[in-house]
């Protein structure tokens, strides 16, 4: 069989620990035999980040701006223990944070649905994609603990000396206060990313906030979403038969629980933090969750939603067998290859991506899976495979599909 050609390079960001091991296996067994893989490789493994003073992360993000599509392996975000373990020059920031800041994007997370792994919510038939605003609110707040009676005010002083004041509370007794902010531009680009992604994936958009209580703050979110929608997207949505729906966050939560799925749920930063963990665990497993960063300029970065699976890696280093789920990492590759294929008009690449996803799901549906899924599957007597054997089983399904 002739290998599939790629016109434009894909930006490949390698990572750490167990996911780095899976990365190599996926390339060797599932990609290189079929594709003339054209990637621009960046090693975001912690050792190389340290050797380059983290310049490699910036270079990888810049390359993503140049070529438009990237695929990223999970990476370690250093903490104190990692400083010692890797003898780091400094405590580098999270690569995802660095990349997100440079690409200015929104992260969309969606569960991978497969027969045999049933969502806890019976009526969820289609994936629910969660879009989380990744800037501001309580993640960039300022807090005060109040010890004795007194007044807390918000004071704004413009650069030309104008002042605005608002009373937060006259304290008669000890208590708490908090200040937070957001930016119109960030909310606008969040809205734009959600609507573009919705058109791309042909799904409705639901957005919830609390504008009845927070009339100015959440009110602005609601206003900006509706302005961006009306000005830039309404016509395209109507042509595509899609809708944009706004309601109060509590009402949206109630409707989500009763819905079938198949839409994008746009969430403010905190709501997205909480709800994405609820949605992903209700669908089964973090290892069955795709994640893509979509920038308003049209750059895409695909990854798995989980981390580097450190515990399994240490077992692997001791020479013990691991049964680590590679599905989300396989889907990061297929997502990126499909997008690359779409942008380049490369139909063979798009259909290869579809087929590899199909092969992965059929493998699980036939009862062959890693341990994490075997523990939750509704299938009788699943066959538990180790990390490599699962990938080889996917390869066998893929070869069968390609016959
Ligand atoms: P994790 O790697 O997501 O793993 C947490 C636990 O979840 C694992 O110990 C394992 O449970 C289970 N799990 C996660 N992915 C799995 C998979 N593919 N197959 C089977 N089980 C899986 O989170 P962590 O251990 O808290 O973090 C490890 C490192 O990842 C940290 O250094 C962190 O900075 C980094 N991280 C990176 C990203 C990213 O790059 N996007 C995201 C999150 C965390 P059992 O051990 O019970 O089997
Ligand atoms: Mg969280």
């Amino acid at each position: 069989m002739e290998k599939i050609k790629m016109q434009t390079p894909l930006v490949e960001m390698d990572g750490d620990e167990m996911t780095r091991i899976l990365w190599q296996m996926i390339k060797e067994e599932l990609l290189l035999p079929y594709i003339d893989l054209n990637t621009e490789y960046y090693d975001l493994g912690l050792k190389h980040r340290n050797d380059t003073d983290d310049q490699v992360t910036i270079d990888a993000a810049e390359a993503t701006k140049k070529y438009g599509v990237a695929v990223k392996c999970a990476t370690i975000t250093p903490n104190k223990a990692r400083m010692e373990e890797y003898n780091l020059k400094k405590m580098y920031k999270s690569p995802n944070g660095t990349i997100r800041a440079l690409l200015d994007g929104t992260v969309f997370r969606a569960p991978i649905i497969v027969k045999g792994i049933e969502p806890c919510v019976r009526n969820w038939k289609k994936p629910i994609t969660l879009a989380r605003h990744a800037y501001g609110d309580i993640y960039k707040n300022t807090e005060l603990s109040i010890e004795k009676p007194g007044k807390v005010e918000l004071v704004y002083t413009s650069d030309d000396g104008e002042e605005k004041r608002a009373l937060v509370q006259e304290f008669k007794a000890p208590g708490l206060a908090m200040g937070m902010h957001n930016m119109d531009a960030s909310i606008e680009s969040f809205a734009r990313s959600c609507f573009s992604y919705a058109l791309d994936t042909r799904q409705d958009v639901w957005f919830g906030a609390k504008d009845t209580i927070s009339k100015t703050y959440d009110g602005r979110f609601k206003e900006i979403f509706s302005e961006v929608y009306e000005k830039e997207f309404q016509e395209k949505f109507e042509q595509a038969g899609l809708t944009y729906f706004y309601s109060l966050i509590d009402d949206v939560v109630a409707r989500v629980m009763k819905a079938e799925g198949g839409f994008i749920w746009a969430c403010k930063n905190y709501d997205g933090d909480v709800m994405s963990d609820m949605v992903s665990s209700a669908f089964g497993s973090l290892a069955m969750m795709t994640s893509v960063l979509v920038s308003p300029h049209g750059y895409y970065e695909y990854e798995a939603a989980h981390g580097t699976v450190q515990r399994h890696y240490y077992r692997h280093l001791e020479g013990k067998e691991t049964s680590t789920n590679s599905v989300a990492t396989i889907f990061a590759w297929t997502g990126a290859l499909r997008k690359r294929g779409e942008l380049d008009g490369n139909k063979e690449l798009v259909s290869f991506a579809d087929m590899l996803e199909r092969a992965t799901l059929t493998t699980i549906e036939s009862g062959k899976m890693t341990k994490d899924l075997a523990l939750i599957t509704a299938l009788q007597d699943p066959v538990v495979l180790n990390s490599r054997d699962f990938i080889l089983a996917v390869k066998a399904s893929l070869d069968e599909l390609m016959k």
Side-chain angles (χ1 to χ4, degrees), residues 109 132 139 270 272-274 276-277:
R109 292 201 159 166
R132 172 180 170 189
Y139 300 87
Y270 173 80
D273 189 351
V274 177
S276 62
D277 281 18

Side-chain angles (χ1 to χ4, degrees), residues 72 74-75 77 82 96 287 303 306-309 311-312 324-325:
K72 179 180 169 295
T75 46
T77 298
R82 301 297 199 167
N96 290 329
E303 59 170 353
H306 58 79
T308 60
V309 213
R311 241 167 51 93
H312 295 209
T324 314
N325 189 333

